[in-house]
Amino acid sequence: MIHAYRGSVLHFHDDPAFAGETAHSWHADGLLIVEDGRVRAAGDYAQLAATLPPDAQVTDHSGKLILPGFIDTHVHYPQTDMIASPAPGLLPWLETYTFPTESRFRDPEHAGEVARFFLDELARSGTTTAMVYCTVHPESVDAFFAESSARNLRMVAGKVLMDRNCPDFLRDTAESGARDSEALIGRWHGRGRQMYALTPRFAPTSTEEQLGLTGELARAYPDTFIQSHVAENTDEIAWVKSLYPSARSYLDVYDRYGLLRERAMYAHCIYLDETDRARMAETGAAAALCPTSNLFLGSGLFDFAAADAVKMPLSMATDVGGGTSFSMLKTMNELYKVARMGGTYLPALRMFYLATLGGARSMGLEGVIGSFAPGAEADFVVINPQATEMLARRSARAESLEEQLFALALLGDDRAVAATYSAGKLQYFSSKTAT
Ligand code: GUN
Ligand code: ZN
């Protein structure tokens, strides 16, 4: 069955920072054609409409933008209920709110209930893929994937590995963590659209033995993902230095255990040095930029110029519950300001690239998600530039695509999401939208 969607179609082929105008395709009156959950074609309505078979269904989203679904490359589903919990910094925030909240995910019913709300919220925000932390409990992973696979979403998730410097009730062991991770890979990795991420929380909460076993699993299962945190906060960095005195840097701890490779995603990357950045670029490990979290927790500002100098793979993330919104549009707003403070001007086109194809590339999933390349999975979002009075007023005065996107990035949030589709199936539809 063929289903086509008419609207203003935008997607990317490359990073606008390096490829300029050839990086994106824009069809003001465009058509996205979907067949069996995959993209068949995307282009001008005038050209493509004639190729539709007579029984094709056409949904008219004229006046709205149709983009690949947003990709949030770092988010903690168990922290949904503690979003907006203030603390003087990362480490006290973990102790005071995070660990007690995560302890409840031993209960599969609780985990399932939060997973359902979390996935609803992603859909309301236009996010179709996320790299998700569960908790130390394998039950929290089963609950998440059960819900995600029932909705046929392309999701990556993993059990947190944490065998020291945390409360007893959240602690695994190097052995049990590896055993549980391997069993979860067997149960979920590659089952439908679900994919597994080895998830050592961060260097301070893993022993060397645990990081070693994680590195072995990463080698044994090269198409799984790896996710962790690095160089987020100055107190955290001092702690890592005391725990791993012989490591050259915080990032080097992960490097020593073979945890820098393609499909490895490191959140924050604020306090890296030149050698670290070069290692990330060389190994294909990617950075998840989490501006709402970094500003909320007072962690610091990501250095765009230094990252671009070595073409470090970059992606965008909310980091809820350290992050303060599930909306990738709100995340763009804060990313823009973080870049600005560091002397970098971030065009809107690049922000939309980072939230779509940039995420897919960072995850080694180009061609699968993040663009409308033929054959790609039909995960897409419909954005309404008239969603609020203010957006409508500003959009009416936009004189270019860049101005329109910039207004959406700076003024938009979940209210701008008119509809979200995964594998061609409607996941969310704003009651304010007429179809
Ligand atoms: N570092 C270790 N754990 C966490 C977490 O849950 N959130 C953030 N932002 N940083 C971390
Ligand atoms: Zn995080």
Side-chain angles (χ1 to χ4, degrees), residues 88-121:
L90 170 67
L91 301 178
W93 176 83
L94 285 173
E95 289 284 337
T96 314
Y97 296 106
T98 314
F99 292 152
T101 303
E102 293 192 5
S103 72
R104 297 193 59 196
F105 287 72
R106 172 194 309 274
D107 172 7
E109 252 179 64
H110 176 70
E113 193 275 326
V114 177
R116 284 190 285 283
F117 179 87
F118 171 86
L119 291 172
D120 288 348
E121 190 65 16

Side-chain angles (χ1 to χ4, degrees), residues 167-188:
D168 290 347
F169 54 82
L170 281 180
R171 193 173 305 186
D172 57 10
T173 66
E175 279 286 311
S176 74
R179 204 179 332 111
D180 288 343
S181 299
E182 194 162 25
L184 287 163
I185 291 170
R187 269 208 294 290
W188 293 109

Side-chain angles (χ1 to χ4, degrees), residues 9-338:
V9 173
L10 172 69
H11 71 127
F12 294 86
H13 317 282
D14 208 341
D15 185 341
F18 303 106
E21 283 296 305
T22 63
H24 71 277
S25 288
W26 167 245
H27 307 279
D29 182 11
L31 195 68
L32 173 67
I33 306 178
V34 174
E35 184 173 20
D36 299 331
R38 291 180 186 273
V39 174
R40 183 172 141 129
D44 287 331
Y45 178 82
Q47 278 170 17
L48 289 180
T51 70
L52 288 175
D55 64 341
Q57 284 182 24
V58 180
T59 301
D60 194 357
H61 287 304
S62 292
K64 301 188 181 70
L65 278 73
I66 300 176
L67 312 171
F70 295 131
I71 299 173
D72 179 349
T73 59
H74 179 97
V75 62
H76 303 254
Y77 99 83
Q79 295 175 13
T80 300
D81 290 347
M82 52 162 281
I83 190 171
S85 294
L90 170 67
L91 301 178
W93 176 83
L94 285 173
E95 289 284 337
T96 314
Y97 296 106
T98 314
F99 292 152
T101 303
E102 293 192 5
S103 72
R104 297 193 59 196
F105 287 72
R106 172 194 309 274
D107 172 7
E109 252 179 64
H110 176 70
E113 193 275 326
V114 177
R116 284 190 285 283
F117 179 87
F118 171 86
L119 291 172
D120 288 348
E121 190 65 16
L122 290 191
R124 284 191 282 269
S125 304
T127 298
T128 49
T129 290
M131 289 190 65
V132 180
Y133 283 57
C134 302
T135 64
V136 76
H137 317 98
E139 295 85 351
S140 71
V141 185
D142 287 325
F144 178 80
F145 278 135
E147 197 55 42
S148 166
S149 69
R151 301 178 190 208
N152 193 26
L153 308 178
R154 173 65 76 190
M155 290 284 161
V156 178
K159 178 201 116 65
V160 163
L161 296 160
M162 182 152 72
D163 68 342
R164 67 164 161 172
N165 295 323
C166 60
D168 290 347
F169 54 82
L170 281 180
R171 193 173 305 186
D172 57 10
T173 66
E175 279 286 311
S176 74
R179 204 179 332 111
D180 288 343
S181 299
E182 194 162 25
L184 287 163
I185 291 170
R187 269 208 294 290
W188 293 109
H189 186 62
R191 178 161 156 193
R193 301 175 82 203
Q194 312 312 307
M195 295 181 292
Y196 195 79
L198 298 162
T199 309
R201 177 169 217 121
F202 67 155
T205 47
S206 285
T207 58
E208 303 209 25
E209 192 189 357
Q210 180 158 69
L211 293 181
L213 289 178
T214 308
E216 284 179 26
L217 285 172
R219 272 187 295 282
Y221 297 96
D223 67 342
T224 58
F225 293 80
I226 299 167
Q227 55 183 354
S228 194
H229 298 86
V230 75
E232 174 178 7
N233 166 290
T234 50
D235 293 337
E236 170 209 22
I237 291 170
W239 193 18
V240 172
K241 206 168 178 52
S242 73
L243 293 168
Y244 296 90
S246 67
R248 197 200 65 78
S249 67
Y250 187 168
L251 186 78
D252 185 51
V253 174
Y254 299 121
D255 204 358
R256 287 171 174 217
Y257 295 102
L259 296 171
L260 299 187
R261 63 149 163 75
E262 305 254 318
R263 293 200 168 185
M265 184 64 68
Y266 286 91
H268 310 302
C269 298
I270 297 171
Y271 302 100
L272 298 185
D273 63 18
E274 256 177 60
T275 310
D276 292 330
R277 292 189 188 96
R279 269 310 277 160
M280 291 200 56
E282 220 166 80
T283 57
L289 313 187
C290 309
T292 74
S293 169
N294 298 159
L295 296 173
F296 179 66
L297 291 172
S299 302
L301 305 175
F302 181 78
D303 186 341
F304 261 92
D308 282 347
V310 294
K311 293 197 177 178
M312 230 168 90
L314 303 181
S315 65
M316 250 175 67
T318 64
D319 192 28
V320 166
T324 51
S325 171
F326 282 94
S327 169
M328 292 293 275
L329 294 173
K330 279 189 101 166
T331 306
M332 289 179 196
N333 176 352
E334 304 219 342
L335 190 67
Y336 175 80
K337 294 166 189 168
V338 165

